Amino acid sequence: MAILGAAFVASAAAAPASARPAVTKLQITPGEESLKPSWRVTTTVGLTGFRVRWRPAAASTSWSRPVELGLKRRSYKIPGLSVQGYEVLVRALYEERPAGGMIAAGTPLPKVGEEPPPKEEPPEEPPPEEEPPPQEEPPEEEPSGTVSAKPAGPSTPLGGWSVVYANAFAAPIGSGPGQDNTLFPNNCAEYKNCEGFNSNEMQVFNPSAVSTGPDGLRLTCTHTDTAQSPGSKHYVCGVVKGLGSGAPGYRIFYWSPNFGQTLVFQTVARFPPNTGEADPGWWSNGPPWSESEFDFFEGGGWGSQHTTGWKTDDLFMSWFAPPHPSAAKRGFDVDPSAGFHTYTTEVFPTGIFSEWIDGVPQPWGTGIGPAFPVNSIKSGLILSYALRTCSSCSTSFTSGTREFDVRSIAVYEDSMHRGVGIENEGLAPGTTVE
């Protein structure tokens, strides 16, 4: 059975992203203790080859060492795998640098009886003779560092869109030279365990669960046998947050509503696996903290209706400004933990808001409101990976580490109102707009 992958674009020099070669139509064919990715490419102009990596899907492990292939190759057999789910990453190389790629998932077949003697097959499309096998391990791939110049879904307003804040998580979170000081890696202004947001949360937050890498931001949750304080919790999880105060060296982006501007909040993210407890969120909050919370999305993986994965769980969006309008998607059509998706929330000057996923308007989340916020509120941005429980809920997350991955976040404002209600406009270190 072939499985289609989710696409993304990595950085490369000298050509706009739309003109660079990119992997497309990635499929995974399972074999005995093996997987065979096959793919096509959008263009061969500037193409210098491909890079293949893989990793177990259920564990937060690093990608395998890269396998470099020639520019004529369109498939590769990955041998020696165990019978479990794997993610396979295939990138096109543009002038020897990573360009467009895709991620797909598959599960190898078990070995049946004894393997027959190996049958010699000619390679499908051998690499050019002049390309020798690599003698050294290539350097780790860098984050793409790019954010789209316009949101996916909303119509372009008169005058176009302005990017007033963007973060592709191309630099480590921190306040040192070259680090990303636009978000703080905890729920309090300290580098230690901090409590969660709600009384039914199962975790503490800690900066050790926040990192950046080739896929962008990585927020992990890890089960611990030792109870963690405060609250005797057995999970340590990650959050990045626009703190109101108390974090020297940080330059936090804030937005304020109700000044006549149209705003869009967008993230490209892959949900964590869910076995009845996952609570990933992309949201915003004040000061003041009351009547200001805006959930662009929250994955309600702890619901009493939970069965398997995310199939029966909710996706919430809500604004806690009076009269607290909200909407929810009951169940997921596509597993949000199997690949990256683009989540977009547009907020109109009237207090109405709407949701898009991968550029498609969501009927359940269109024209919600109106809300009536006060414009004295200054809200920061938050990405959090919490865990929650309820009286009729149970969890199978009893060991190991899971992760919530975020490629980028961005805030767009209609250009006629650029900078209105905005404080600390700009791009996070290492982030560019294309």
Side-chain angles (χ1 to χ4, degrees):
M1 178 180 176
I3 303 173
L4 294 179
F8 61 94
V9 177
S11 62
S18 59
R20 301 169 194 161
V23 169
T24 184
K25 297 185 178 180
L26 175 62
Q27 295 184 323
I28 306 297
T29 302
E32 288 189 8
E33 298 183 343
S34 68
L35 294 173
K36 185 178 182 181
S38 58
W39 61 89
R40 296 184 184 180
V41 67
T42 56
T43 180
T44 57
V45 177
L47 179 70
T48 54
F50 297 93
R51 180 175 294 161
V52 181
R53 292 186 175 195
W54 57 93
R55 67 181 179 185
S60 296
T61 57
S62 300
W63 292 102
S64 69
R65 290 186 177 184
V67 174
E68 303 276 351
L69 302 174
L71 59 88
K72 294 184 179 180
R73 293 296 293 269
R74 298 295 185 271
S75 66
Y76 176 75
K77 183 178 179 180
I78 306 171
L81 303 178
S82 57
V83 182
Q84 61 174 314
Y86 283 85
E87 292 179 317
V88 179
L89 162 62
V90 181
R91 288 189 194 271
L93 299 179
Y94 171 74
E95 297 180 355
E96 308 297 341
R97 297 184 62 190
M102 295 189 78
I103 295 175
T107 302
L109 301 176
K111 192 173 182 180
V112 180
E114 288 208 8
E115 284 189 321
K119 184 178 178 182
E120 192 171 343
E121 295 184 18
E124 295 175 9
E125 291 175 315
E129 290 183 6
E130 64 271 13
E131 181 178 274
Q135 298 299 311
E136 296 181 4
E137 182 181 349
E140 189 72 18
E141 295 169 14
E142 295 297 321
S144 74
T146 61
V147 171
S148 173
K150 61 181 182 179
S155 300
T156 302
L158 182 66
W161 292 109
S162 295
V163 179
V164 291
Y165 173 73
N167 195 331
F169 302 107
I173 306 293
S175 59
Q179 294 184 329
D180 177 4
N181 67 341
T182 65
L183 294 166
F184 191 80
N186 211 347
N187 194 33
C188 63
E190 298 184 73
Y191 289 89
K192 65 176 186 179
N193 283 354
C194 290
E195 61 185 5
F197 302 99
N198 300 279
S199 60
N200 67 338
E201 290 181 22
M202 302 159 60
Q203 86 295 326
V204 296
F205 289 119
N206 190 287
S208 64
V210 177
S211 61
T212 57
D215 278 339
L217 176 68
R218 182 172 178 252
L219 302 178
T220 61
C221 274
T222 301
H223 180 270
T224 65
D225 292 330
T226 303
Q228 303 289 313
S229 61
S232 297
K233 309 291 186 179
H234 284 272
Y235 301 86
V236 177
C237 298
V239 60
V240 291
K241 183 175 179 180
L243 280 170
S245 61
Y250 284 81
R251 186 175 186 270
I252 303 301
F253 168 84
Y254 295 107
W255 67 281
S256 296
N258 206 17
F259 283 98
Q261 75 274 47
T262 299
L263 291 163
V264 172
F265 301 85
Q266 180 168 288
T267 185
V268 180
R270 177 172 58 193
F271 278 34
N274 180 39
T275 51
E277 70 295 305
D279 181 23
W282 158 232
W283 52 298
S284 185
N285 213 339
W289 301 107
S290 60
E291 305 293 305
S292 64
E293 179 178 339
F294 197 147
D295 298 330
F296 311 128
F297 75 67
E298 181 176 4
W302 69 95
S304 58
Q305 77 280 2
H306 173 79
T307 56
T308 304
W310 286 98
K311 292 179 181 178
T312 57
D313 299 308
D314 296 333
L315 183 68
F316 301 101
M317 60 180 303
S318 57
W319 198 350
F320 284 75
H324 300 190
S326 63
K329 175 180 175 61
R330 305 293 179 181
F332 285 82
D333 302 321
V334 178
D335 183 359
S337 66
F340 286 89
H341 296 277
T342 301
Y343 300 89
T344 307
T345 305
E346 183 171 18
V347 185
F348 297 95
T350 57
I352 297 288
F353 53 99
S354 296
E355 185 82 3
W356 283 258
I357 299 178
D358 295 329
V360 177
Q362 301 297 297
W364 59 273
T366 297
I368 308 304
F372 299 98
V374 296
N375 56 20
S376 61
I377 290 172
K378 288 173 40 177
S379 290
L381 303 174
I382 306 169
L383 287 159
S384 57
Y385 181 9
L387 307 172
R388 296 176 77 167
T389 187
C390 66
S391 59
S392 57
C393 304
S394 61
T395 176
S396 299
F397 183 8
T398 55
S399 64
T401 297
R402 299 177 182 178
E403 64 183 82
F404 176 29
D405 298 313
V406 183
R407 287 236 174 89
S408 64
I409 58 176
V411 181
Y412 305 86
E413 188 169 43
D414 69 288
S415 293
M416 301 290 288
H417 291 85
R418 178 167 187 161
V420 173
I422 301 300
E423 186 175 323
N424 292 333
E425 175 181 340
L427 307 180
T431 298
T432 58
V433 175
E434 291 188 351

